[in-house]
Amino acid sequence: MRASTEVEHAPAEKAAVVAPPAPSTAAPEPPRVPPKWPAAGAPLTFGLARFPSGFTRQRVYLDAGHGAEGNTGNRSVTCEDEESFTLRVAEDLARRLEATGHFEVKLSRKEGQRVAYADRLTSAAQWGAHVLVSLHSDSRGTPRLWSPREGLECNRQDATPGFSVLWSEEAEPPLQTRRAGLARALARNLSRVGFPPYDGVDYTGLYAADSEEAGVFVAREPTHRRIFVLRKPSIPSVIIETHHALDFEEAARWREERTLEAFGAAVTQGLVEALAPAAAAEANSASPP
């Protein structure tokens, strides 16, 4: 006979009543702000250049700044000579401009060459250049010494990043207008892709800020330094100060492929916008009646 078993039943549980969630009093998260240049990851946005109908092949004399006898330029935050930086960037930019099929490019110098500035202008004129663009890096403010690696001391100043484009008023009005138009078109497109314009805080007494475009500065008589490649050419000429060479993050960004690609896109579109009217006139004059 089986032993009987008693099963103890627990009393039935009542269904829990769940209160609706209380409305949140926490403030909504602010939208994420992308990092600002020259922070790593700062966005640079660009597309292909737009060439208008009738845009003829244009000749760009691309000056790798410095590289003359006794003139190596500034030394960067990692002690790179400016003449080395400008040649590296000029060679890259030349390839990108020529790849469009709309530009011929002549470089002012090659590795190891020491070329006087007067010889550069003669070369540009003999070649029949339409514009002259001189590439540089800037050195601004009061730096401090620091050591990027053991045994090396360089100057550093991280407060004033950004590009600037310089042109000179020392010319007759028609050339002044074309110089200003070139400078503004280049600066406008550098800003469009994400490069920040320099505010000019260290340019007081040297250059005047342009009234139309941020990042553009004009060298005016008689107070400015009379810069040869700005005042002497009979074609539109500008200097692009690509960045502040003593800013550690900005100098690092200028070693990145993305930066060089964005710079090439901006300069290409800037040249198109500055040269389009002249190119169209050239095409019309060459057309048979």
Side-chain angles (χ1 to χ4, degrees):
M1 185 176 162
R2 294 177 62 185
S4 64
T5 59
E6 292 183 358
V7 178
E8 183 177 26
H9 294 279
E13 294 183 356
K14 293 182 179 180
V17 178
V18 179
S24 174
T25 58
E29 291 188 7
R32 295 187 64 183
V33 178
K36 291 180 63 176
W37 179 275
L44 294 171
T45 306
F46 54 90
L48 296 176
R50 301 176 300 278
F51 292 89
S53 175
F55 189 89
T56 57
R57 195 172 176 88
Q58 298 289 290
R59 290 188 168 189
V60 179
Y61 191 84
L62 199 53
D63 175 37
H66 301 282
E69 197 64 45
N71 187 351
T72 59
N74 65 49
R75 299 197 81 196
S76 78
V77 65
T78 56
C79 288
E80 179 184 27
D81 286 333
E82 186 177 0
E83 66 177 10
S84 299
F85 167 81
T86 59
L87 182 57
R88 171 165 55 84
V89 175
E91 289 173 340
D92 182 89
L93 178 57
R95 287 192 296 269
R96 297 179 191 276
L97 288 172
E98 291 187 328
T100 68
H102 291 277
F103 295 103
E104 292 179 64
V105 180
K106 186 177 182 65
L107 290 173
S108 62
R109 60 186 177 90
K110 297 179 181 179
E111 183 69 38
Q113 288 183 328
R114 319 305 294 173
V115 182
Y117 279 103
D119 293 339
R120 301 180 197 201
L121 300 198
T122 299
S123 173
Q126 291 177 344
W127 183 57
H130 295 100
V131 292
L132 185 154
V133 177
S134 186
L135 302 181
H136 290 255
S137 63
D138 220 345
S139 178
R140 303 165 184 157
T142 304
R144 59 181 173 86
L145 282 177
W146 86 300
S147 179
R149 64 175 185 270
E150 187 176 353
L152 185 65
E153 281 194 332
C154 313
N155 285 323
R156 181 169 180 173
Q157 196 267 56
D158 298 318
T160 52
F163 74 85
S164 63
V165 184
L166 314 177
W167 66 280
S168 172
E169 281 189 337
E170 190 176 340
E172 293 300 314
L175 182 54
Q176 278 189 23
T177 300
R178 295 178 66 199
R179 286 176 180 174
L182 175 61
R184 290 165 184 161
L186 290 169
R188 181 167 58 249
N189 282 280
L190 287 167
S191 293
R192 279 174 180 166
V193 304
F195 294 108
Y198 172 51
D199 63 11
V201 65
D202 299 300
Y203 284 176
T204 302
L206 297 174
Y207 310 107
D210 186 72
S211 60
E212 295 187 25
E213 196 67 48
V216 175
F217 297 87
V218 56
R220 288 183 171 150
E221 286 288 353
T223 58
H224 77 278
R225 293 175 295 175
R226 304 180 79 227
I227 300 174
F228 197 78
V229 298
L230 292 184
R231 64 187 183 85
K232 277 293 187 179
S234 58
I235 56 175
S237 60
V238 296
I239 284 176
I240 302 178
E241 300 281 5
T242 55
H243 72 294
H244 181 205
L246 306 186
D247 185 300
F248 181 79
E249 282 192 310
E250 193 166 34
R253 295 295 307 275
W254 271 91
R255 288 193 171 275
E256 296 174 3
E257 175 67 15
R258 180 71 172 176
T259 302
L260 296 174
E261 189 177 5
F263 182 68
V267 171
T268 301
Q269 187 61 44
L271 288 171
V272 172
E273 292 175 11
L275 294 172
E282 184 178 299
N284 291 335
S285 67
S287 300

